[in-house]
Amino acid sequence: MTQLQIGPHAVWPPVVLAPMAGITNAPFRTLCREFADGVRGFGGRAPDVPAAPGAAAVPGAPDVAAADPPGASDVPDAANPPGSPGAAPAVRKGLFVSEMITTRALVERDAKTMRLVHFDAREKPRSIQLYGVDPATVGKAVRMIADEDLADHIDLNFGCPVPKVTRKGGGSALPYKRPLLRAILREAVSGAGALPVTMKMRKGIDDDHLTYLDAGRIAVEEGVTAIALHGRTAAQHYGGTADWDAIARLREAVPEIPVLGNGDIWSAEDAVRMVRETGCDGVVVGRGCLGRPWLFGDLAAAFEGTGAPAAPTFREVAAVMRRHAELLGEWLEDEARGVVDFRKHIAWYTKGFSVGSEMRRRLAVSSSLAELDELLGALDGDQPWPAGADGPRGRTSGRDRVVLPEGWLDDPQDCAGLGADAELDTSGG
């Protein structure tokens, strides 16, 4: 399999971290990137993470900055792709996308939004996902990103199924209005200049209102660089089974640009199987990495054919949990707030392990790193990776109906009544 090309950026392995509200902030992206780059691993595969800038380096840790200096090419040796005999050593990469950024909030320089668009110096390419329903506002946001060098890649959200988004005509509801979709894409591509613009979408609103094939052709015509398809409708939300056949159909319908598949990737084997069965050019991983940031190391190994990495013991998982909470505290500039924000991850990290209901409760109300250390240290760290710990995590239910603006489905060509007042004013979760 060849590397994934997103504009000027060669992405290997061909894996993208899906934007998830309240999850894919800078600390979580750091963890995922460390595993993907081989900086952090289990069972002796790799040394621990390097120290934060200004701190003493961890003994034996590779110098990531030296291995991948500023200005270095993102493009692996085309004659010897990663994993092939004779290939030059390469720092493992993926594409790690920010939380959803609302175009209105970005243009208005909302304080929370400006924090969310801040990237670590080692994050490259820097990827921002934008949400918007007004072409003019989307255009302003994209030009702001390009003019102020806020990112290297822009992804547009046409896949979110939550009611607060779809009731405004946004997310997975928007592609039904074909002229509006085209107008937004045209403004975004025009305003982005040299920055590549991609889009993420669902199959449609429901089985009676599928939009993905029309949306794919519009995207090609308007200069979008790549498309990601979640193989579910908005009505399915996160329930049922993702339709990988739809990903294959989209791949056939838009041969001009890369197509990425999303939905029901819980393991590296799932990702490889999706590529093999659909012919897609790469995968987008969302809920599969909840409590499993090391999945990106597994994915790198799977696509490079180097064998499955060792599964972690609970002690190793606990070390990742602790680092995650610490990173959140540093990012929020408040240790207690970081630990509180980390609480939502605890059930995902500990799934399948013998923890006990009382200990889970205590972990879920912890409020300091010292308390977290004490609780995690009281558990059996030698527990091996439990059978059945993989599989669905996060939201798994469908919805009875999709919340839409009144009369939304009457005419796919009628876009009257939509404008800047339909924009959300906050970003992320």
Side-chain angles (χ1 to χ4, degrees), residues 131-365:
Y131 159 83
V133 298
D134 173 49
T137 306
V138 171
K140 290 177 183 177
V142 169
R143 285 189 291 275
M144 177 179 168
I145 292 170
D147 292 345
E148 300 181 18
D149 189 28
L150 298 179
D152 306 303
H153 159 241
I154 297 169
D155 185 59
L156 298 176
N157 183 314
F158 300 115
C160 183
V162 302
K164 76 172 184 178
V165 169
T166 59
R167 70 162 46 97
K168 298 278 191 177
S172 51
L174 196 145
Y176 185 73
K177 299 294 188 180
R178 276 70 163 179
L180 179 60
L181 175 66
R182 186 181 295 278
I184 289 175
L185 295 179
R186 184 168 296 178
E187 282 284 338
V189 172
S190 173
L195 300 182
V197 175
T198 61
M199 61 182 277
K200 187 171 185 287
M201 62 181 180
R202 287 185 172 234
K203 290 170 56 181
I205 293 174
D206 54 35
D207 287 339
D208 294 324
H209 301 90
L210 299 178
T211 56
Y212 70 104
L213 295 178
D214 284 352
R217 290 311 312 165
I218 292 171
V220 170
E221 292 163 6
E222 296 303 328
V224 168
T225 302
I227 305 172
L229 176 64
H230 185 159
R232 286 181 170 89
T233 62
Q236 284 182 276
H237 207 62
Y238 295 95
T241 302
D243 180 6
W244 289 7
D245 288 341
I247 297 168
R249 287 191 290 272
L250 181 63
R251 169 69 286 173
E252 294 173 358
V254 292
E256 301 93 333
I257 61 176
V259 169
L260 311 179
N262 177 223
D264 293 350
I265 297 178
W266 305 108
S267 67
E269 292 74 18
D270 290 335
V272 172
R273 182 167 58 87
M274 175 184 278
V275 171
R276 183 176 63 246
E277 292 181 5
T278 70
C280 66
D281 302 280
V283 298
V284 178
V285 179
R287 293 174 299 148
C289 67
L290 295 177
R292 308 286 188 273
W294 55 85
L295 177 57
F296 289 91
D298 297 349
L299 288 160
F303 279 107
E304 292 173 7
T306 57
T313 63
F314 183 75
R315 180 174 290 105
E316 291 170 315
V317 171
V320 178
M321 294 172 67
R322 208 279 187 184
R323 172 147 174 82
H324 192 168
E326 183 177 18
L327 286 170
L328 281 165
E330 293 172 358
W331 183 61
L332 293 169
E333 300 179 333
D334 184 317
E335 177 185 312
R337 285 182 62 201
V339 174
V340 170
D341 192 75
F342 175 71
R343 292 173 182 171
K344 60 176 170 280
H345 298 269
I346 289 172
W348 299 324
Y349 275 112
T350 59
K351 179 181 178 181
F353 285 106
S354 179
V355 175
S357 58
E358 175 59 20
M359 180 60 78
R360 289 183 190 277
R361 186 197 67 76
R362 293 176 65 189
L363 284 166
V365 296

Side-chain angles (χ1 to χ4, degrees), residues 1 30 36 108-109 112 118 122 129 149 170 194 197-198 204 301 305 422:
M1 182 178 181
T30 293
E108 294 177 353
R109 298 185 181 274
K112 176 185 176 183
H118 174 74
R122 291 176 176 175
Q129 189 187 68
D149 189 28
V197 175
T198 61

Side-chain angles (χ1 to χ4, degrees), residues 15-18 20 23-40 92-97 285-286 289-300 320 323-324 327 349:
V15 174
V16 178
L17 169 64
M20 290 179 282
I23 304 293
T24 57
N25 47 37
F28 189 71
R29 297 196 305 271
T30 293
L31 275 179
C32 294
R33 193 177 69 253
E34 287 174 352
F35 281 103
D37 287 349
V39 176
R40 175 177 282 273
R92 286 175 174 171
K93 295 182 182 291
L95 201 59
F96 302 93
V97 188
V285 179
C289 67
L290 295 177
R292 308 286 188 273
W294 55 85
L295 177 57
F296 289 91
D298 297 349
L299 288 160
V320 178
R323 172 147 174 82
H324 192 168
L327 286 170
Y349 275 112

